[in-house]
Amino acid sequence: EIMRGLIFIASTILMSMIDIATRPYKIRVVSVQKRTINERHLIRDGLVASISTLKLHNFVYKMAAPKKGFWFAIDRGGTFTDIYAGTPSGRVVVMKLLSEDPANYEDAPKEGIRRIMEQELGIPIPIHDPLDASQIEWIRMGTTLATNALLERKGEKIALLITKGFKDLLHIGNQSRPEIFDLQIVCLETLYECVVEVKERVVLERKDCQMDWKDCDTVEVPTGDKLHVWERLDKSELRKDLQRLLDKGITSLAIVFMHSYMYSEHEKEVELVAKEMGFKHISLSSEVMPMVRMVPRGFTACADAYLTPIIGNYVQSFAKGFANPEKLNVLFMQSDGGLTMMDKFVGSRAVLSGPAGGVVGYAMTTHHHDTEKPVIGFDMGGTSTDVSRYAGEYEHVFESTTAGVAIQAAQLDINTVAAGGGSRLFFRSGMFAVGPESAGANPGPTCYGKGGPLAVTDANLVLGRLLPEHFPKIFGPNEDMPLDREATLAAFDKLTEEVNAFLDEQGSEKLDRYQVAMGFIRVANESMCRPIRALTQGKGYDTSHHVLACFGGAGGQHACAVARSLGMTTVFIHRYSGILSAYGLALADVVQEAQEPFAQKFNSDTYKYIDERIDALTQECYKELESQGYSRDCISSTPYLHMRYDRTDCSLMCSPALDPQGHAPKPHQGCTHGDFEASFLQKYKCEFGFTIPSRTIIVDDIRVRAVAIVMVHSQQPLPRADPSDRPAVEGVCDCYFVDGFMGTSIYLLDSLTNGHTMEGPAIIIDKNSTILVEPGCTARITEYGDVRIDVGMSEGHLSNIGTTLNTIQLSIFSHRFMSIAEQMGRVLQRTSISTNIKERLDFSCALFGADGGLVANAPHVPVHLGAMQETVQYQRRVRNDIHEGDVILTNHPAAGGSHLPDLTIITPVFYPGFAEPVFYVANRGHHADIGGITPGSMPPHSQYLWQEGMQVKSFKLVERGVFQEEGVTQLLMEPGKYPGCSGTRNLHDNLSDLRAQVAANQKGITLVKELITAYGMDVVQAYMKYIQENAELAVREMLKEIASHPKVGPILSPSTITSYSSHLITHTLYTKCSLYMM
């Protein structure tokens, strides 16, 4: 005991000595007992570039060496390039400049570096002279280069090499139609210039297959599967084909072979031949993303071959701007939120390089720092707005689609809406519309002084929310002018005349330019709320139980309004919110991943193999990071299993379940790395609302993600303000809100300190952003200089909205009605169980008025939506016994059905004080089997309707709140009474999906009632009618436009349109209303 006491005293003294000696180096103590992402929620400011580590009593002292030179974290966005930099003197510099300004510089990141070095060193650096790399510690960069190249189809010229017989596989793709209401579907161009079919073929062995394998070589792959090599690679023919590609000037290849994720030898053989012949870049699908499913794997390989050379060219061009590029230490942000070395930055992992920095930024500065609540990231830039969610770990998706290309790689789950500061403003068919078109960086909005169109930024300027005197003079043709307020006012006056001309025709009250500008702001806010609802409610989370972390140059002007609309009570704005994506790059860690396919059941027979492969992949990641110079003590890793239920296609990437202390508990039986099954069940229940206890779990892939924590930050708290010390008011301006102009106090963020509070309305100005504190909200400066806003929920102006048509309110209601239908669809997808509904998305949801007329529908299947109105109205005609709690099932063509397997579920919406339904919500979903002579839908040889399965004109699936399982089961089995027919062959899935359809309608009812509570019944029903009337107006204008075409004009004269358009609207074209709401 004495010895232990002496050792404790000595170690305490030693730790104190180390603490005193290393204070100048900004030490941070991090426990190594808990290697989770939470250990990196450090208070960050003074950045360091090199770390030495000293272990002592289960702690790691990470000591920062003194800075030797400049460092730069650069986010090159679509409109602006943001730079967060440090200088040898220890000064932090932030800068914002246009991403594209060819008249003044070639490359924005290099120009920003040049300007900062010139200012700090006090020595003129000519714009075209190479910079001295020896003075730069490191550069970190996120870029939209890959995204833009994909969107604009400006990548490298490539060829696709694919297994013979599959030439058109990627052209066919998955047959998705993002714009499902378009009458003319235009296929996006493929990324490849031409296709070479390669003679090679391997086939997966199946025990139930009757093929003859006797002449084939058999190969056993690591997953335990057996492959039969039907045809070996024909290298002679391959060389001839490759030479023809070289003759066409193609030097980049994407190679995609069948089953190469398990058997990559043929792809590697082609790679060797191609390298020998001089091809500069080769992307193997087996290396880019070794996962099952050939189509997304092929798209990913093509994207990699298409984008990586472009990225490589940019990196080389960037490096040439330095006198000694070999001394450059450059890291690039990947789509998954981790950094990688410059020479390892590839196209398939670069698509979200730009916005990923912002996610890291708010994750590291908000969650577990200011709040324990999950956080919604709200990144409003110039071109678009990105929303994401963080609740202690990054949320990744492993298949996403960008510009029509499905990419199968780890990416942060970021949802984008085309509404940013540069989103253009339009008045279309009596409605206010924001975007998706953007003014871009050049010419930019009207206020930029370069002849650009009106945009959201202009609306904020007109309303007094942007103050030109506090903006840098970087606008105009020569980048030396302030924001052009006069040009913006003139443009808004012209737009206001257009709006008022329409209102005159309608006999409505005219608007002034401030009301018009405010209308566009409110519509923009509502459009940005929709993806946030999708990200939260669509995954089973309550939106109101989140904090809104706002950043991006334009986000601070909209944060209070967006949070209020979503029911959130807190907004958190980091002091570097205007450049948080750049700031996040400085906080990010270097990431290395390894993954391999498995495709086996998760049970006691596979636990040991899974553990062994996790260990092997972990060592592979550690070895790679150590080769890059990172100490093993600074590296942590997390294993993942890509899991799904058997006979489903929804895989979830699962790390081991954590206990309340954040550790991975060891299960009594299972993998030694943690309880993956509990994690899967928990995620599945949260995501989809249920589990399937009797279903086997499959592991598709084994993955390890290793992180090298390379930054340590220490931030000194700001002095606490005296309770009697009121924040200094810089001035007062008139700012326009819903109720008109209000005197608004102006504060400078740099003059505020810890504890200062500001009641709204107020404007807080920083060098790179403007924060609007709306009336009813209170802003407080936190200990470290960030802004926390408590959002008041009172919105008295809602009660002032009457039943008279208001074009601004019409646009807002269109978004609200559309959002209800969209959220119904997400609940249906989340809670259904069948492949048809959950994965193929063969369903539709819509909202109907009290008369059964269509009000709004989500952009689902048109053939469903065109008939659903008739279905609802049929039930209103034949039933006089509809009560609250009733849900009606129908599928009969005579009752408005499309075909029998499309089961329609209709629920009336009752509201207190009204005896009859005030709305109806309905959805229609395709069931794989409802009985009949064959499984599936519409057998080709059927002669009678009963041969196609169950037929129902009207049945109460739920009666007064009770699900009629026995009755609907009898209906589903009834086809078995007919000769040659069977009842449903999958009753369990039928019942599960019917319950999901009921749940989707219930979600719609809840949202409709919330809308009525907020606005009042008269207002909601009035705007329902206005939406329908506006849809008719929009279609009339569309038909007139069509009639103006010389080939169509003689058929559709103006008189014909007037005579027939109402009939068309009533019976067919209400489904268009959703299109024109946007």
Side-chain angles (χ1 to χ4, degrees):
E1 291 294 329
I2 294 174
M3 288 298 296
R4 271 201 291 266
L6 291 173
I7 292 172
F8 174 77
I9 293 171
S11 64
T12 302
I13 295 172
L14 179 58
M15 290 175 70
S16 300
M17 293 171 62
I18 293 174
D19 181 48
I20 295 170
T22 56
R23 279 176 186 169
Y25 298 95
K26 298 184 178 180
I27 298 174
R28 177 68 179 181
V29 181
V30 181
S31 171
V32 298
Q33 292 176 323
K34 178 183 174 183
R35 286 299 187 102
T36 71
I37 196 165
N38 294 335
E39 75 176 22
R40 298 195 307 284
H41 285 86
L42 312 179
I43 302 167
R44 307 185 180 222
D45 182 18
L47 305 179
V48 299
S50 58
I51 299 173
S52 59
T53 304
L54 174 66
K55 284 187 177 180
L56 188 64
H57 286 301
N58 289 328
F59 287 89
V60 176
Y61 275 82
K62 296 181 178 178
M63 295 174 288
K67 303 180 181 70
K68 300 176 183 177
F70 294 89
W71 47 261
F72 299 92
I74 305 171
D75 172 42
R76 189 187 188 282
T79 305
F80 286 104
T81 290
D82 300 332
I83 302 176
Y84 177 72
T87 67
S89 65
R91 191 169 65 97
V92 171
V93 181
V94 296
M95 179 175 289
K96 185 183 289 283
L97 64 163
L98 293 172
S99 294
E100 295 179 13
D101 194 355
N104 294 285
Y105 45 80
E106 293 180 358
D107 181 62
K110 179 179 175 294
E111 173 63 12
I113 293 172
R114 184 195 69 81
R115 292 183 185 183
I116 292 172
M117 293 181 71
E118 185 178 71
Q119 292 170 7
E120 179 70 13
L121 298 175
I123 303 172
I125 302 176
I127 194 168
H128 295 296
D129 281 10
L131 303 176
D132 184 4
S134 64
Q135 298 187 59
I136 299 174
E137 285 274 331
W138 50 259
I139 299 171
R140 295 178 166 199
M141 194 182 302
T143 174
T144 57
L145 179 68
T147 311
N148 294 339
L150 206 57
L151 290 169
E152 300 167 9
R153 292 298 194 261
K154 292 183 178 179
E156 184 73 4
K157 194 175 178 181
I158 72 167
L160 169 66
L161 274 63
I162 196 165
T163 302
K164 186 175 178 61
F166 292 86
K167 177 181 180 179
D168 295 320
L169 181 68
L170 299 189
H171 174 67
I172 296 170
N174 58 12
Q175 292 292 285
S176 64
R177 292 171 54 185
E179 302 296 334
I180 201 164
F181 284 100
D182 280 2
L183 300 178
Q184 181 180 2
I185 303 299
V186 179
C187 289
L188 290 171
E189 297 178 10
T190 55
L191 299 183
Y192 48 84
E193 294 281 328
C194 55
V195 183
V196 173
E197 294 186 89
V198 179
K199 290 183 178 180
E200 71 83 37
R201 188 66 185 273
V202 296
V203 180
L204 182 66
E205 183 182 83
R206 291 273 301 265
K207 293 181 180 179
D208 57 347
C209 182
Q210 303 299 313
M211 300 179 72
D212 184 8
W213 309 103
K214 59 184 179 182
D215 296 327
C216 299
D217 293 334
T218 301
V219 179
E220 186 168 341
V221 293
T223 62
D225 293 302
K226 290 184 179 180
L227 293 172
H228 297 277
V229 183
W230 271 13
E231 189 171 12
R232 292 288 181 183
L233 192 66
D234 187 339
K235 293 185 180 180
S236 175
E237 187 67 25
L238 174 66
R239 290 181 183 276
K240 295 177 184 177
D241 291 332
L242 292 178
Q243 186 58 52
R244 283 191 284 269
L245 295 179
L246 289 172
D247 294 341
K248 293 180 180 180
I250 297 175
T251 59
S252 183
L253 301 177
I255 305 175
V256 185
F257 291 162
M258 288 281 289
H259 302 299
S260 63
Y261 69 98
M262 291 192 293
Y263 180 78
S264 60
E265 277 70 9
H266 282 180
E267 286 192 354
K268 291 178 178 178
E269 289 179 34
V270 174
E271 180 186 27
L272 290 175
V273 174
K275 283 183 176 179
E276 290 174 2
M277 296 183 66
F279 283 88
K280 295 179 180 178
H281 180 81
I282 304 163
S283 294
L284 306 184
S285 71
S286 57
E287 292 182 354
V288 172
M289 185 45 63
M291 293 178 71
V292 70
R293 300 174 67 193
M294 189 177 181
V295 171
R297 181 161 46 87
F299 276 133
T300 307
C302 286
D304 193 76
Y306 187 75
L307 298 174
T308 301
I310 299 297
I311 291 171
N313 292 340
Y314 175 75
V315 168
Q316 291 178 13
S317 173
F318 178 75
K320 287 180 181 178
F322 297 84
N324 36 8
E326 71 280 355
K327 295 184 178 181
L328 276 178
N329 176 18
V330 182
L331 295 173
F332 276 89
M333 174 61 76
Q334 300 180 108
S335 300
D336 63 359
L339 297 166
T340 190
M341 295 180 69
M342 183 168 57
D343 60 344
K344 296 183 181 296
F345 188 49
V346 297
S348 59
R349 294 180 175 270
V351 175
L352 294 183
S353 171
V359 177
V360 175
Y362 82 76
M364 293 297 170
T365 58
T366 305
H367 191 265
H368 285 297
H369 168 38
D370 185 77
T371 179
E372 292 291 325
K373 285 185 177 181
V375 184
I376 295 294
F378 178 69
D379 178 9
M380 185 176 179
T383 307
S384 61
T385 297
D386 296 320
V387 297
S388 53
R389 182 179 184 272
Y390 183 84
E393 63 179 19
Y394 295 120
E395 296 188 358
H396 290 104
V397 292
F398 294 86
E399 186 176 327
S400 63
T401 301
T402 302
V405 179
I407 297 178
Q408 203 174 38
Q411 300 182 27
L412 292 171
D413 190 3
I414 299 175
N415 291 258
T416 301
V417 59
S423 293
R424 295 179 60 183
L425 310 181
F426 301 96
F427 186 71
R428 295 170 173 154
S429 302
M431 298 186 72
F432 287 67
V434 177
E437 298 90 340
S438 174
N442 192 11
T446 301
C447 60
Y448 282 16
K450 294 183 180 181
L454 281 177
V456 172
T457 298
D458 293 303
N460 279 311
L461 180 63
V462 167
L463 298 175
R465 301 173 177 208
L466 295 179
L467 306 177
E469 60 270 26
H470 291 282
F471 267 70
K473 295 182 179 181
I474 60 172
F475 304 100
N478 300 317
E479 284 194 335
D480 57 357
M481 301 293 291
L483 289 171
D484 193 342
R485 179 178 172 83
E486 296 305 316
T488 298
L489 290 173
F492 257 105
D493 286 341
K494 184 177 179 180
L495 180 58
T496 302
E497 290 177 5
E498 180 186 342
V499 173
N500 286 331
F502 174 83
L503 295 178
D504 272 342
E505 294 177 3
Q506 303 296 313
S508 299
E509 185 179 348
K510 291 185 178 181
L511 303 176
D512 61 34
R513 64 187 178 196
Y514 303 106
Q515 291 171 315
V516 170
M518 188 67 205
F520 280 112
I521 292 298
R522 293 176 65 192
V523 172
N525 290 340
E526 190 59 41
S527 68
M528 290 182 288
C529 289
R530 283 170 61 183
I532 296 177
R533 293 189 181 103
L535 192 68
T536 52
Q537 295 175 350
K539 294 186 176 182
Y541 305 115
D542 187 335
T543 310
S544 63
H545 294 169
H546 290 70
V547 171
L548 189 69
C550 181
F551 56 105
Q557 299 140 47
H558 298 260
C560 290
V562 169
R564 179 177 281 155
S565 181
L566 294 168
M568 297 179 179
T569 58
T570 305
V571 172
F572 185 86
I573 304 176
H574 193 269
R575 62 174 176 168
Y576 290 126
S577 64
I579 59 159
L580 194 64
S581 289
Y583 187 75
L585 290 167
L587 309 183
D589 301 316
V590 177
V591 169
Q592 181 66 35
E593 290 192 356
Q595 181 172 317
E596 63 181 35
F598 183 55
Q600 298 293 323
K601 295 178 181 179
F602 185 71
N603 56 31
S604 57
D605 295 333
T606 58
Y607 294 154
K608 182 179 179 182
Y609 180 82
I610 290 172
D611 283 328
E612 290 173 352
R613 296 315 303 160
I614 288 175
D615 291 337
L617 294 175
T618 301
Q619 291 306 311
E620 180 182 327
C621 291
Y622 271 67
K623 185 177 179 181
E624 176 61 32
L625 289 173
E626 287 175 327
S627 71
Q628 298 175 25
Y630 301 108
S631 166
R632 179 171 284 257
D633 292 322
C634 295
I635 302 173
S636 62
S637 65
T638 304
Y640 294 87
L641 297 183
H642 203 198
M643 309 174 80
R644 62 179 172 84
Y645 278 121
D646 192 19
R647 304 194 309 278
T648 70
D649 198 33
C650 281
S651 298
L652 298 175
M653 193 66 76
C654 302
S655 58
L658 301 179
D659 62 19
Q661 286 72 44
H663 297 99
K666 302 287 176 59
H668 297 297
Q669 57 179 1
C671 295
T672 59
H673 288 87
D675 195 344
F676 290 98
E677 183 174 0
S679 175
F680 172 74
L681 295 176
Q682 178 185 353
K683 280 193 173 187
Y684 203 93
K685 179 67 180 289
C686 180
E687 185 96 4
F688 304 122
F690 62 91
T691 58
I692 314 176
S694 59
R695 193 75 64 90
T696 300
I697 298 174
I698 303 295
V699 177
D700 283 330
D701 306 278
I702 303 171
R703 169 175 169 252
V704 170
R705 179 181 173 90
V707 174
I709 306 171
V710 297
M711 285 299 174
V712 177
H713 302 269
S714 176
Q715 178 179 331
Q716 296 300 319
L718 297 179
R720 177 75 182 178
D722 189 272
S724 61
D725 180 20
R726 298 184 63 82
V729 178
E730 181 71 11
V732 178
C733 68
D734 286 331
C735 190
Y736 193 92
F737 296 94
V738 172
D739 297 323
F741 280 103
M742 298 181 69
T744 303
S745 300
I746 303 170
Y747 302 89
L748 300 182
L749 185 59
D750 287 344
S751 67
L752 302 175
T753 192
N754 176 19
H756 274 153
T757 60
M758 291 132 288
E759 298 292 334
I763 292 177
I764 303 173
I765 295 176
D766 188 23
K767 295 176 183 177
N768 294 290
S769 63
T770 298
I771 301 169
L772 179 68
V773 184
E774 294 201 352
C777 302
T778 303
R780 175 176 60 83
I781 305 301
T782 69
E783 183 180 5
Y784 296 99
D786 306 319
V787 181
R788 180 189 176 102
I789 302 176
D790 296 323
V791 181
M793 287 294 107
S794 61
E795 278 196 85
H797 67 275
L798 291 183
S799 61
N800 298 327
I801 297 171
T803 56
T804 304
L805 174 62
N806 179 297
T807 54
I808 298 168
Q809 204 61 43
L810 178 68
S811 304
I812 292 172
F813 266 102
S814 71
H815 281 283
R816 294 299 297 267
F817 286 141
M818 174 75 78
S819 180
I820 290 172
E822 288 177 340
Q823 291 185 67
M824 288 171 61
R826 292 188 184 100
V827 170
L828 179 51
Q829 182 187 3
R830 187 169 65 86
T831 57
S832 62
I833 195 172
S834 69
T835 300
N836 272 351
I837 294 179
K838 180 178 287 294
E839 292 153 22
R840 289 184 55 243
L841 309 183
D842 195 349
F843 64 83
S844 297
C845 299
L847 173 66
F848 301 84
D851 62 352
L854 180 63
V855 177
N857 57 262
H860 294 152
V861 182
V863 71
H864 291 172
L865 299 164
M868 257 209 284
Q869 173 176 286
E870 297 294 328
T871 308
V872 176
Q873 291 178 337
Y874 176 88
Q875 299 302 322
R876 289 187 72 254
R877 289 194 302 269
V878 302
R879 278 196 173 274
N880 56 9
D881 61 341
I882 299 177
H883 306 99
E884 187 168 9
D886 290 350
V887 180
I888 298 169
L889 164 67
T890 179
N891 72 335
H892 201 287
S898 44
H899 69 157
L900 291 184
D902 286 339
L903 304 189
T904 304
I905 304 299
I906 303 166
T907 308
V909 181
F910 285 88
Y911 195 77
F914 294 83
E916 298 296 323
V918 295
F919 281 92
Y920 290 89
V921 289
N923 66 74
R924 179 170 288 178
H926 184 105
H927 288 239
D929 191 356
I930 57 168
I933 55 176
T934 61
S937 58
M938 294 192 302
H941 52 286
S942 59
Q943 297 176 317
Y944 303 97
L945 188 61
W946 48 262
Q947 292 178 315
E948 297 187 358
M950 177 186 73
Q951 44 188 315
V952 182
K953 286 187 177 180
S954 185
F955 171 74
K956 283 192 177 182
L957 179 65
V958 178
E959 187 165 8
R960 296 185 184 272
V962 179
F963 187 82
Q964 303 297 310
E965 182 171 339
E966 183 177 347
V968 74
T969 299
Q970 290 177 359
L971 289 173
L972 286 164
M973 302 309 296
E974 188 173 346
K977 299 177 182 178
Y978 295 99
C981 293
S982 167
T984 180
R985 299 159 183 87
N986 197 346
L987 179 62
H988 177 265
D989 282 11
N990 291 130
L991 294 176
S992 296
D993 282 354
L994 286 171
R995 289 190 178 96
Q997 290 180 263
V998 172
N1001 281 2
Q1002 189 59 42
K1003 180 66 175 180
I1005 291 172
T1006 301
L1007 296 174
V1008 169
K1009 287 183 175 180
E1010 287 178 2
L1011 199 63
I1012 295 171
T1013 302
Y1015 288 92
M1017 178 66 73
D1018 292 344
V1019 172
V1020 174
Q1021 290 197 325
Y1023 277 93
M1024 172 200 72
K1025 290 293 185 184
Y1026 295 145
I1027 289 292
Q1028 293 174 330
E1029 292 168 3
N1030 182 262
E1032 178 175 347
L1033 173 65
V1035 176
R1036 285 182 189 274
E1037 292 189 1
M1038 179 190 69
L1039 293 176
K1040 289 177 182 178
E1041 184 179 345
I1042 294 172
S1044 66
H1045 192 281
K1047 292 184 179 181
V1048 183
I1051 303 173
L1052 285 178
S1053 65
S1055 60
T1056 306
I1057 293 170
T1058 303
S1059 300
Y1060 289 103
S1061 62
S1062 293
H1063 177 80
L1064 290 171
I1065 295 294
T1066 303
H1067 290 87
T1068 10
L1069 293 178
Y1070 266 154
T1071 56
K1072 280 285 182 182
C1073 72
S1074 64
L1075 179 63
Y1076 290 96
M1077 286 178 188
M1078 303 302 290

